[in-house]
Amino acid sequence: MATEGEKGQVKLLGATLSPFVVRVRIALALKGIDYEFIQESMHPKSELLVKSNPVHKKIPVLIHNGKPVCESMIIVQYIEEAWGNKAPNLMPEDPYDRAIARFWAAFVDDKLFPCLRGVFTGQGEQLQKAVEDSVTNFLLIEEALRTNHCFAGKPYFRGDDMSFIDMALGGLSAIIKGAEKATDSVLIDPKKMPLLSAWMDRFCKSDGVKEVMPDPAKQAESITIWRANLWV
């Protein structure tokens, strides 16, 4: 277990607008872990980043006592295990509930985010298809919030406290809102997805989240610029 004496031995390589970095920053904030945030420009990539993540050369990278940990949800799991003595628990104790948490986190990364990437990059019919696919996936999450015994009737995905699934999906909140604004699309319709919409509002206003969540307007501006450069 990590101890209080390890303060100052935690560094996070990232960028403030990255939804994947936001996941890690939220987990660190909820656990009350002090860390040094090192802003990466990515153009060019720093020597420390390339050295710390030589395989993908991507952010985020958590460096704990000189040892790098890569990939956002792997980092979140590491934080839970390394600082397991600090509340709140980010993973359920029950093996089945833990498997469910990992399933939905994988769903976000493997099914939902590729559709969102299509929203960022698409034009015309391609954009419309990406929006439709994203909405389909959001509707599946809405249904899970309504019917799954692990989630139904709870403020967050695991109960009163935020946990693993909240990190996975919630970290994308600002970029989802930014993409809606930048592309004039509706991805989460409060009328069709009242539970998901209410959860996202609640999540973004929570302590530990609101302090690190990017401004959706800045995300929209960044996405707009990126889309303009993509289609030059």
Side-chain angles (χ1 to χ4, degrees):
M1 296 293 182
T3 66
E4 291 292 326
E6 290 175 334
K7 286 183 178 180
Q9 298 302 313
V10 182
K11 299 178 181 179
L12 177 62
L13 311 185
T16 53
L17 292 182
S18 166
F20 304 106
V21 174
V22 169
R23 289 171 167 177
V24 178
R25 297 190 77 184
I26 293 171
L28 290 167
L30 292 178
K31 287 286 191 179
I33 300 166
D34 290 340
Y35 65 98
E36 178 186 356
F37 184 70
I38 301 175
Q39 180 78 20
E40 287 284 339
S41 68
M42 304 302 291
H43 302 290
K45 298 178 180 181
S46 73
E47 181 179 343
L48 179 59
L49 174 60
V50 173
K51 178 182 177 181
S52 301
N53 188 358
V55 176
H56 297 299
K57 302 178 179 64
K58 293 181 178 179
I59 54 174
V61 177
L62 184 79
I63 302 176
H64 182 208
N65 290 331
K67 299 177 181 178
V69 184
C70 307
E71 299 294 315
S72 62
M73 295 313 294
I74 293 175
I75 296 172
V76 171
Q77 291 184 70
Y78 176 83
I79 290 169
E80 171 62 16
E81 293 171 4
W83 287 275
N85 58 328
K86 282 178 169 281
N89 294 327
L90 303 180
M91 289 290 285
E93 293 185 5
D94 180 79
Y96 178 76
D97 290 346
R98 190 178 289 251
I100 293 297
R102 289 184 173 129
F103 171 85
W104 283 104
F107 175 85
V108 170
D109 280 353
D110 298 341
K111 294 286 290 184
L112 176 60
F113 190 75
C115 297
L116 293 174
R117 187 186 293 114
V119 175
F120 307 153
T121 61
Q123 295 281 357
E125 292 183 2
Q126 184 184 31
L127 171 59
Q128 184 60 35
K129 177 67 164 55
V131 169
E132 291 172 358
D133 290 344
S134 297
V135 169
T136 296
N137 286 320
F138 282 127
L139 285 170
L140 290 173
I141 298 174
E142 173 74 16
E143 180 67 10
L145 284 170
R146 187 177 67 84
T147 62
N148 191 299
H149 81 278
C150 295
F151 314 144
K154 300 174 182 178
Y156 299 105
F157 276 94
R158 198 174 64 86
D160 294 331
D161 295 322
M162 286 178 280
S163 62
F164 195 66
I165 308 175
D166 298 282
M167 305 296 107
L169 181 59
L172 306 182
S173 297
I175 205 167
I176 291 168
K177 294 177 182 180
E180 288 181 319
K181 185 176 180 63
T183 62
D184 194 24
S185 303
V186 177
L187 299 175
I188 298 179
D189 186 339
K191 293 182 179 179
K192 296 180 180 179
M193 306 172 215
L195 297 177
L196 180 57
S197 178
W199 166 84
M200 184 168 286
D201 288 343
R202 188 183 309 117
F203 179 85
C204 291
K205 294 175 183 177
S206 300
D207 291 339
V209 175
K210 60 187 178 183
E211 295 85 358
V212 299
M213 185 65 69
D215 181 352
K218 290 184 179 179
Q219 283 284 22
E221 181 181 356
S222 176
I223 292 170
T224 299
I225 293 172
W226 189 75
R227 284 170 57 82
N229 292 333
L230 184 67
W231 290 95
V232 169

